[in-house]
């Protein structure tokens, strides 16, 4: 008899009866009773009162009964933690049972009981099971470590379980390896910073060996782990690909997609000239095609993944077009996805086939699908130029069917074709005009109006056609109103004599009778243009239109690269990175493809300076003219438009409390400004309390907090370095350094003319940068610079320029112009030029703030061989606005507590420990705490520069 009978009873007093049965001497009766308890628990009855009686049944050799009791335990341990402790002894005993199944069952249940009190009792049994002689027990124990880590991460680390897990990767049994990898991946995912899966060629080799022999889910864990590895060169990438390729023929589609992910990722490292690269492309097609013979839900997931693969490497499936033809019984979601891929694969070779299919689809019954098919014909015309004519004739055939929604879609599509191929297919306009009356959708009406306005000179009755739309102007959608306004203005500019009344009518409708601001503004602009300068109006309204591109819906390349790393996961179905839809405390690590192999077609230029380059060895970066800088000298140097307006120092505003309590008093004790007026600091850019956001969000509007504070300081100035060599700037050589004195920053430049002609008309501009550095005055070279002449200039800087986070943070991109050309270079500025004079915090404030900033924001650094003692260190740093707040001596070591403040209001707190060394040289240990931890590395570089020079 089946177990369904246990779910049918609903009599009263049942708990009491069950209690008696559970304590019965007969084994069978006990087992029946436990089954009834589990059945009641399953349907939601509260049977927690039976906890002690059920736990007593654990002492049995019967595996089935033990499983049932363990099931009950897992369910109620959380609500009855004190009772659950009674079961601990049995667990410990079961973990030493001669039967491996019972040992594994005990360890599995232990992992599922999420009760803090119990976890520490489970460490010993778990440690034994991780080293058990039976692989089944070891593999179960490996997963248990991940579960335990989720409950109490610290305990797992202290007990050394993570090291044991790492050892299990070298286990002889493939299933143990797979589970160890799964557990480590799970733990690493919740702690993205920890380097748990420290993969190297040896461990990769072990994983690949285990791959052939473990179950399908084990294979998926191992393949996902391989996908996170970056091979050291293309040889290693190729050898991994060769060993992963057999997985493509697996029956489980998840294994296939995981293998595809690994291959897609490692193909980045293979040169396209290799024979193996071509072989791999051929091998990838059949498994992807096979996925499409599964049930519709799996097909859809496969198609979403194929969509990404085709965008990245269309050559894989270019010969497989027929697989994506739509079947009559496909669900609509599969049809639409197939259609999308068909267009992506369309090329000159297969366009005839594709068009024949699409024409067929356009006569289907499903309206959504038909619309998409008609759009697809237009996309093919735009993508494959040779097919445009066939596409247009196909669209005309469809318009002749007079099916309303087909006609409307066709007109929208033809408008795009006109944009792509001007002056080629205008002969069809007459046919389109015949269908004017049937258009009722805004997009189709707007497209038709655009066509009439654009080709008004070829349509005899253009004014009548547009006038017919004007009658119901206020009932039209905004899209149609805007299009109609522009079309009538175009018509007026082409046929001014006949359409004077029409244009006045539409302008008054758009400006006086409309309450839509977009429409009104456009109307006023046209009105003014036409009334002041008709020639200019013609140039604006009838300007050459840019051609439209072929693929408008491609995923942006960096996002596509990231999604390729998530093939086979939800991210590949949503086409969004996990960070956009995964909630909760799990940190989602950002993934990207390995650097591309240097094949004959890739040209990469090192465009940014290495992050750790010391200020003395600044690399030159000369971007091409068309680079992201564009022509910097045409940039608007005003404050960033998007941010709030900059507050000037004359406006009194309450300073923002950056550090959570007490900063107001600190800001209130500002020194008297020059001339006796009290200087009020404008609010610093408020740094959010949890500055996990990238630094740019905390720096969105920067103010120069130093403008009135005048304490003289002799900060260290680095010797001038060559920033722009003469050979890269047509004979102009620029050397320079940065200084900070009396609260003002300057860039000290030395310009040398090594060319044969005189240089004049100098100007300078900075690109947006992390701290808003910008020239405070023009670059003034008073006399022309003759050949072989050198001139020294000090350019004052401020920090109220536009802000953009740079990589590295202290990178500054500069453009210098003279009468010869515009030259670009980039340099790294030392951060100490941004340390402001009012950076001394009071003691109480320092203590409170140090405690308040979370520990993960603390960074540790070492400064070796510093030739100074504590006194000298303190006074040297003070001259660069790093202030010592307190000093103590702990066990013969001097400790200095220091604070500094950056121009954008970010505070950095430091603890400097001075190790007594040989008489002349000592080592320093530096701890920095800051709400914006990205700054710490650069503050450390400033410390090292200041103390060693």
């Amino acid at each position: 008899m089946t177990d369904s009978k246990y779910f049918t009873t609903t009599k009263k007093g049942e708990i009491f009866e069950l209690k008696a049965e559970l304590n019965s001497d007969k084994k069978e009766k006990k087992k029946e009773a436990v089954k009834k308890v589990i059945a009641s628990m399953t349907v939601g009855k509260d049977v927690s009162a039976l906890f002690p009686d059920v736990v007593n049944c654990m002492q049995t050799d019967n595996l089935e009964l033990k499983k049932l009791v363990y099931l009950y335990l897992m369910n109620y341990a959380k609500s009855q933690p004190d009772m659950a402790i009674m079961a601990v002894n049995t667990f410990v005993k079961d973990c030493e049972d001669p039967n491996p199944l019972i040992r594994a069952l005990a360890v599995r249940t232990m992992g599922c009981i999420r009760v803090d009190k119990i976890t520490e009792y489970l460490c010993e049994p778990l440690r034994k099971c991780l080293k058990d002689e039976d692989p089944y027990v070891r593999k179960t124990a490996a997963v248990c470590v991940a579960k335990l880590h989720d409950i109490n991460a610290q305990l797992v680390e202290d007990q050394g379980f993570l090291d044991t897990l790492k050892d299990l990767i070298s286990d002889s049994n493939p299933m143990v390896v797979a589970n160890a990898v799964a557990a480590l991946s799970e733990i690493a995912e919740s702690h993205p910073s920890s380097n748990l899966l420290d993969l190297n060629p040896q461990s990769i080799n072990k994983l690949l060996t285990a791959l052939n022999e473990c179950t399908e889910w084990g294979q998926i864990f191992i393949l996902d782990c391989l996908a996170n590895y970056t091979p050291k060169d293309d040889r290693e990438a190729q050898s991994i690909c060769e060993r992963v390729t057999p997985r493509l023929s697996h029956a489980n589609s998840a294994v296939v997609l995981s293998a595809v992910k690994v291959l897609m990722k490692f193909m980045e490292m293979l040169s396209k000239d290799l024979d193996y690269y071509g072989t791999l492309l051929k091998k990838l097609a059949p498994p992807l095609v096979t996925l499409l013979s599964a049930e519709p839900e799996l097909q859809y997931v496969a198609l979403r993944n194929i969509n990404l693969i085709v965008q990245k490497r269309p050559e894989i499936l270019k010969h497989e077009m027929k697989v994506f033809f739509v079947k009559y019984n496909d669900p609509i979601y599969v049809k639409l996805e197939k259609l999308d891929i068909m267009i992506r694969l369309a090329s000159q070779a297969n366009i005839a086939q594709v068009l024949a299919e699409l024409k067929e689809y356009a006569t289907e019954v499903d309206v959504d699908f038909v619309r998409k098919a008609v759009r697809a014909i237009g996309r093919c015309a735009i993508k494959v130029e040779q097919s445009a004519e066939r596409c247009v004739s196909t669209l005309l055939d469809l318009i002749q069917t007079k099916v309303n929604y087909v006609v409307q879609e066709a007109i929208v599509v033809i408008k795009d074709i006109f944009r792509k191929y001007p002056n080629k297919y205008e002969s069809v306009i007459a046919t389109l005009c015949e269908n004017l009356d049937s258009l009722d959708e805004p997009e189709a009406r707007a497209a038709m109006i655009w066509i009439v306005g654009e080709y008004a000179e070829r349509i005899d009755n253009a004014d009548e056609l547009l006038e017919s739309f004007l009658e119901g102007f206020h009932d039209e959608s905004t899209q149609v109103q805007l299009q109609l306004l522009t079309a009538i203005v175009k018509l007026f500019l082409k046929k001014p004599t006949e359409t004077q009344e029409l244009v006045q009518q539409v302008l008054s409708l758009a400006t006086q009778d409309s309450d839509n601001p977009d429409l009104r503004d456009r109307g006023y602009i046209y009105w003014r243009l036409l009334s002041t300068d008709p020639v200019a109006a013609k140039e604006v309204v009838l300007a050459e239109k840019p051609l439209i591109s072929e693929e408008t819906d491609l995923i942006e390349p960096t996002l596509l690269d990231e999604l390729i790393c998530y093939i086979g996961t939800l991210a590949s179905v949503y086409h969004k990175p996990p960070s956009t839809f995964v909630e909760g405390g799990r940190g989602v690590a950002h993934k990207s493809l390995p650097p591309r192999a240097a094949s004959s077609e890739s040209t990469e230029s090192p465009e940014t300076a290495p992050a750790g380059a010391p200020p003395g060895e600044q690399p030159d970066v000369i971007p091409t003219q068309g680079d992201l800088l564009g022509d910097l000298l045409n940039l608007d140097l005003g404050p960033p438009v998007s941010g709030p307006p900059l507050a000037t120092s004359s406006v009194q505003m309450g300073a923002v409390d950056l550090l959570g309590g007490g900063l107001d008093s600190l800001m209130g004790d500002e020194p008297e400004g020059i001339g006796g007026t009290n200087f009020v600091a404008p609010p610093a850019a408020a740094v959010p309390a949890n500055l996990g956001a990238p630094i740019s969000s905390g720096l969105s509007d920067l103010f120069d907090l130093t403008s009135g504070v005048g304490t003289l300081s002799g900060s260290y100035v680095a010797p001038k370095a060559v920033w722009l060599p003469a050979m890269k700037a047509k004979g102009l050589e620029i050397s320079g350094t940065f200084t900070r004195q009396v609260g003002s920053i300057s860039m000290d430049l030395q310009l040398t003319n090594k060319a044969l002609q005189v240089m004049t008309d100098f100007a300078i501009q900075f690109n947006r940068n992390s701290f808003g550095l910008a020239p405070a005055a023009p670059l003034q070279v008073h006399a022309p610079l003759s050949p072989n002449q050198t001139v020294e200039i000090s350019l004052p800087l401020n920090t109220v320029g536009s802000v953009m986070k740079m990589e590295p943070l202290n990178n500054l991109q500069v453009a210098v112009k003279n009468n010869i050309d515009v030259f670009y270079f980039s340099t790294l500025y030392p951060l100490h030029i941004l340390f402001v004079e009012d950076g001394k915090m009071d003691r109480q404030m320092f203590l409170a703030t140090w405690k308040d900033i979370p520990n993960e924001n603390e960074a540790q650094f070492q400064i070796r061989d510093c030739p100074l003692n504590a006194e000298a260190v303190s006074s040297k740093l003070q001259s660069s606005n790093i202030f010592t707040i307190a000093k103590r001596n702990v066990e013969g070591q001097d400790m200095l507590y220091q604070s500094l403040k950056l121009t954008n209001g970010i505070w950095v707190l430091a603890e400097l420990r001075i190790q007594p060394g040989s008489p002349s040289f000592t080592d320093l240990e530096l701890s920095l705490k800051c709400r914006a931890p990205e700054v710490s590395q650069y503050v450390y570089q400033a410390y090292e520069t200041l103390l060693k020079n």
Side-chain angles (χ1 to χ4, degrees):
M1 192 177 167
T2 64
D3 286 346
S4 59
K5 59 177 181 182
Y6 297 111
F7 292 92
T8 51
T9 74
T10 52
K11 50 183 191 210
K12 294 216 166 79
E14 202 174 15
I15 298 282
F16 188 73
E17 278 179 30
L18 284 172
K19 200 180 182 77
E21 284 179 29
L22 285 169
N23 293 318
S24 153
D25 298 336
K26 295 187 178 130
K27 274 187 184 172
E28 273 311 306
K29 217 165 190 186
K30 255 189 190 175
K31 193 157 124 189
E32 290 290 304
V34 174
K35 280 188 180 179
K36 285 179 191 167
V37 171
I38 298 288
S40 303
M41 178 178 94
T42 309
V43 294
K45 284 185 193 164
D46 181 16
V47 283
S48 56
L50 297 170
F51 200 94
D53 308 288
V54 177
V55 171
N56 282 339
C57 300
M58 275 172 86
Q59 317 289 347
T60 172
D61 300 333
N62 185 323
L63 191 59
E64 191 184 358
L65 182 56
K66 217 178 221 2
K67 274 186 182 171
L68 291 169
V69 176
Y70 276 169
L71 195 62
Y72 177 89
L73 249 179
M74 281 189 254
N75 197 32
Y76 282 117
K78 205 164 193 168
S79 57
Q80 310 247 354
D82 299 333
M83 303 288 276
I85 289 186
M86 299 181 352
V88 167
N89 286 335
T90 315
F91 279 135
V92 176
K93 230 169 81 187
D94 280 355
C95 283
E96 294 178 0
D97 194 276
N99 181 347
L101 290 176
I102 289 184
R103 295 202 296 274
L105 181 65
V107 88
R108 178 180 296 127
T109 312
M110 277 170 11
C112 296
I113 294 182
R114 305 179 63 86
V115 179
D116 281 343
K117 283 184 185 172
I118 296 185
T119 38
E120 54 236 45
Y121 294 110
L122 305 184
C123 292
E124 272 319 302
L126 180 58
R127 184 173 287 112
K128 283 181 187 156
C129 289
L130 280 167
K131 299 204 161 66
D132 198 281
E133 79 261 12
D134 192 286
Y136 182 73
V137 181
R138 291 200 301 277
K139 89 175 176 71
T140 312
V143 178
C144 186
V145 173
K147 290 178 178 169
L148 195 59
H149 189 274
D150 199 33
I151 304 167
N152 187 342
Q154 199 52 51
L155 180 74
V156 170
E157 284 160 34
D158 297 344
Q159 293 281 346
F161 287 149
L162 294 182
D163 298 327
T164 318
L165 263 189
K166 287 181 190 171
D167 297 342
L168 286 182
I169 287 187
S170 316
D171 197 276
S172 55
N173 184 291
M175 269 321 296
V176 178
V177 177
N179 278 18
V181 167
L184 282 170
S185 304
E186 180 87 3
I187 295 170
E189 217 167 87
S190 55
H191 292 66
S193 53
S194 63
N195 191 13
L196 283 177
L197 276 162
D198 184 17
L199 298 173
N200 52 38
Q202 290 70 40
S203 56
I204 289 293
N205 196 19
K206 287 171 186 156
L207 293 184
L208 287 165
T209 311
L211 185 62
N212 299 326
E213 296 165 33
C214 49
T215 65
E216 47 201 29
W217 294 111
Q219 292 182 28
I220 293 166
F221 290 133
I222 291 178
L223 287 167
D224 286 351
C225 176
L226 286 174
N228 293 332
Y229 173 65
T230 306
K232 59 179 188 301
D233 55 25
D234 54 346
R235 297 255 317 263
E236 190 185 358
Q238 182 174 338
S239 101
I240 294 174
C241 288
E242 283 168 354
R243 294 178 67 179
V244 167
T245 315
R247 300 297 107 220
L248 292 173
S249 51
H250 201 284
N252 183 326
S253 50
V255 177
V256 174
L257 281 178
S258 291
V260 169
K261 169 167 61 184
V262 176
L263 297 173
M264 285 293 288
K265 208 170 167 185
F266 290 175
M267 275 169 88
E268 283 293 298
M269 297 186 69
L270 302 179
S271 161
K272 292 191 174 179
D273 314 332
L274 279 176
D275 293 344
Y276 181 68
Y277 181 86
T279 317
L280 200 50
L281 285 180
K282 288 196 191 101
K283 283 186 178 167
L284 274 168
L288 292 173
V289 170
T290 310
L291 290 177
L292 297 183
S293 51
E295 46 271 35
E297 294 78 8
L298 284 181
Q299 268 189 61
Y300 178 72
V301 172
L303 286 165
R304 291 293 280 176
N305 280 283
I306 288 170
N307 201 327
L308 293 174
I309 293 165
V310 165
Q311 288 183 53
K312 183 73 187 160
R313 298 195 187 283
E315 60 272 29
I316 292 178
L317 289 160
K318 65 180 178 196
H319 301 304
E320 303 293 343
M321 176 64 88
K322 281 194 172 161
V323 190
F324 299 106
F325 285 174
V326 171
K327 299 193 179 88
Y328 76 96
N329 57 352
D330 280 339
I332 182 70
Y333 54 89
V334 171
K335 284 181 177 174
L336 295 179
E337 206 54 44
K338 281 185 173 177
L339 207 50
D340 207 30
I341 295 170
M342 274 168 69
I343 300 158
R344 295 201 196 288
L345 290 175
S347 64
Q348 211 180 326
N350 56 24
I351 194 73
Q353 241 184 340
V354 173
L355 275 180
E357 273 292 304
L358 291 176
K359 192 172 177 183
E360 196 70 30
Y361 300 162
T363 56
E364 289 268 336
V365 285
D366 190 324
V367 178
D368 284 339
F369 180 51
V370 173
R371 286 174 180 279
K372 188 105 183 218
V374 176
R375 294 247 163 153
I377 295 173
R379 276 173 63 188
C380 288
I382 290 166
K383 186 175 178 189
V384 185
E385 190 168 341
Q386 294 77 2
S387 74
E389 202 156 323
R390 298 181 66 161
C391 292
V392 172
S393 65
T394 306
L395 287 168
L396 286 176
D397 292 348
L398 292 173
I399 288 176
Q400 297 307 340
T401 63
K402 299 285 186 217
V403 178
N404 194 330
Y405 55 86
V406 177
V407 173
Q408 309 211 51
E409 283 297 333
I411 286 176
V412 173
V413 162
I414 287 175
K415 181 201 75 171
D416 287 341
I417 295 176
F418 284 168
R419 291 274 320 262
K420 175 78 175 171
Y421 309 112
N423 307 321
K424 243 179 146 176
Y425 301 108
E426 281 73 10
S427 52
V428 307
I429 291 176
T431 318
L432 302 183
C433 292
E434 291 166 13
N435 294 284
L436 254 179
D437 302 335
S438 64
L439 306 181
D440 53 11
E441 289 167 19
E443 202 178 353
R445 286 172 81 84
M448 192 65 226
I449 292 168
W450 182 87
I451 293 170
V452 174
E454 189 64 18
Y455 301 104
E457 70 278 12
R458 303 180 183 214
I459 303 172
D460 303 331
N461 60 341
D463 48 345
E464 290 171 25
L465 294 177
L466 291 176
E467 206 169 348
S468 67
F469 283 105
L470 257 192
E471 288 156 13
F473 186 77
H474 290 304
D475 304 329
E476 299 285 5
S477 71
T478 309
Q479 185 183 7
V480 177
Q481 290 176 331
L482 286 166
Q483 221 26 294
L484 193 51
L485 173 61
T486 305
I488 291 177
V489 172
K490 283 181 188 170
L491 175 66
F492 172 69
L493 291 168
K494 291 174 181 175
K495 302 181 179 175
T497 47
E498 305 148 42
T499 52
Q500 190 108 28
E501 278 178 32
L502 191 61
V503 80
Q504 281 177 334
Q505 191 186 348
V506 77
L507 286 172
S508 74
L509 279 172
T511 54
Q512 287 154 20
D513 308 345
S514 167
D515 50 7
N516 179 337
D518 288 346
L519 186 63
R520 230 180 15 234
D521 289 354
R522 192 184 286 193
Y524 279 127
I525 287 172
Y526 285 155
W527 201 314
R528 282 178 195 150
L529 265 176
L530 293 170
S531 55
T532 52
D533 189 351
V535 180
K538 220 167 189 162
E539 284 176 5
V540 171
V541 180
L542 302 178
E544 276 286 299
K545 313 263 178 316
L547 298 182
I548 56 175
S549 66
E550 53 166 25
E551 288 284 11
T552 45
D553 59 343
L554 283 177
I555 293 175
E556 189 262 326
T558 48
L559 174 59
L560 179 62
D561 285 354
E562 187 178 350
L563 291 176
I564 292 288
C565 302
Y566 288 111
I567 283 178
T569 67
L570 263 184
S572 67
V573 180
Y574 289 156
H575 288 190
K576 288 178 181 170
S579 51
T580 56
F581 60 85
V582 174
E583 289 180 355
R586 287 266 163 113
V588 178
H590 177 76
K591 296 186 183 181
S592 60
L593 291 177
R596 189 168 277 114
S599 72
S600 50
E601 57 201 61
S602 83
T603 53
E604 293 191 18
S605 54
E607 294 250 311
T608 43
E617 311 161 6
Q618 284 128 347
D620 299 304
V621 180
I622 314 278
T624 55
Q625 293 298 80
D627 198 18
L628 77 158
L629 293 177
D631 185 358
L632 270 176
L633 294 163
N634 298 337
L635 280 181
D636 177 14
L637 241 192
V641 184
S642 57
L646 296 175
T648 57
S649 53
S650 59
V651 184
Q652 183 142 0
M653 296 172 79
V656 177
D657 188 349
L658 282 189
L659 296 158
L663 196 69
D664 303 343
S665 63
L666 201 113
M667 288 281 200
D669 308 334
E670 291 290 352
E672 287 290 302
I674 299 165
T677 55
N678 193 31
F679 167 74
V680 177
V687 180
N690 56 339
L691 204 117
I695 217 171
S696 51
S697 61
L699 307 179
S700 57
D701 48 336
L702 300 173
F703 310 111
D704 188 358
L705 289 184
T706 62
S707 42
V709 185
T711 55
L712 201 79
S713 62
S715 176
Y716 163 73
V717 179
K720 287 195 176 81
V722 176
W723 287 341
L724 183 64
M727 60 182 290
K728 290 189 177 173
K730 301 185 181 173
L732 172 65
E733 182 175 281
I734 301 181
S735 309
T737 184
F738 295 91
T739 63
R740 182 185 186 95
Q741 279 167 334
V742 202
S744 58
I745 308 169
S746 53
M747 181 192 241
D748 293 349
L749 295 168
Q750 178 177 310
L751 309 181
T752 307
N753 180 355
K754 296 192 173 178
L756 299 174
Q757 69 191 93
V758 175
M759 294 181 179
T760 57
D761 304 336
F762 284 92
I764 191 165
Q765 186 139 14
F766 297 174
N767 194 14
R768 294 189 295 167
N769 54 77
S770 308
F771 292 91
L773 277 176
L779 179 63
Q780 291 181 326
V781 182
H782 293 295
L785 196 59
S786 309
N788 292 323
Q789 189 188 347
T790 295
V791 60
E792 305 259 344
I793 302 156
S794 184
L795 177 73
L797 307 181
N798 60 29
T799 53
V800 294
S802 302
V803 178
M804 176 172 78
K805 186 181 179 186
M806 298 298 282
E807 191 58 54
L809 207 60
N810 57 341
N811 190 10
L812 180 66
Q813 296 175 328
V814 184
V816 171
K817 166 181 153 325
N818 62 13
N819 57 329
I820 299 170
D821 204 347
V822 181
F823 308 108
Y824 301 108
F825 65 88
S826 105
T827 176
L828 303 177
Y829 48 90
L831 214 62
H832 65 260
I833 64 168
L834 303 174
F835 298 171
V836 299
E837 281 66 19
D838 60 337
K840 185 162 187 174
M841 201 181 258
D842 71 32
R843 285 184 171 205
Q844 295 320 104
M845 188 69 216
F846 183 92
L847 271 172
T849 309
W850 185 274
K851 284 181 188 157
D852 190 42
I853 295 176
N855 284 340
E856 56 265 29
N857 283 21
E858 184 172 347
Q860 311 272 356
F861 304 98
Q862 263 201 329
I863 301 171
R864 298 202 175 280
D865 301 338
C866 172
L868 306 167
N869 63 12
E871 291 302 323
V873 164
S874 182
S875 69
K876 185 156 197 176
L877 292 175
Q878 177 128 3
S879 66
S880 291
N881 297 334
I882 300 175
F883 300 97
T884 301
I885 287 156
K887 178 182 167 192
R888 343 202 307 247
N889 190 295
V890 180
E891 297 170 2
Q893 295 181 346
D894 286 325
M895 310 277 276
L896 300 180
Y897 297 93
Q898 299 177 319
S899 72
L900 62 96
K901 182 166 136 195
L902 296 171
T903 48
N904 59 350
I906 290 180
W907 286 87
V908 182
L909 310 187
E911 177 189 82
L912 197 58
R913 183 189 294 257
I914 301 179
Q915 308 273 14
S918 60
S920 55
F921 288 98
T922 51
D923 285 351
L924 312 182
E925 283 180 19
L926 175 67
S927 298
L928 296 175
K929 260 193 164 187
C930 173
R931 294 218 188 273
E934 297 94 330
V935 176
S936 300
Q937 169 71 29
Y938 303 94
V939 172
Y940 152 69
Q941 285 171 12
Y943 261 88
E944 190 160 53
T945 307
L946 295 172
L947 291 174
K948 290 196 173 178
N949 291 295

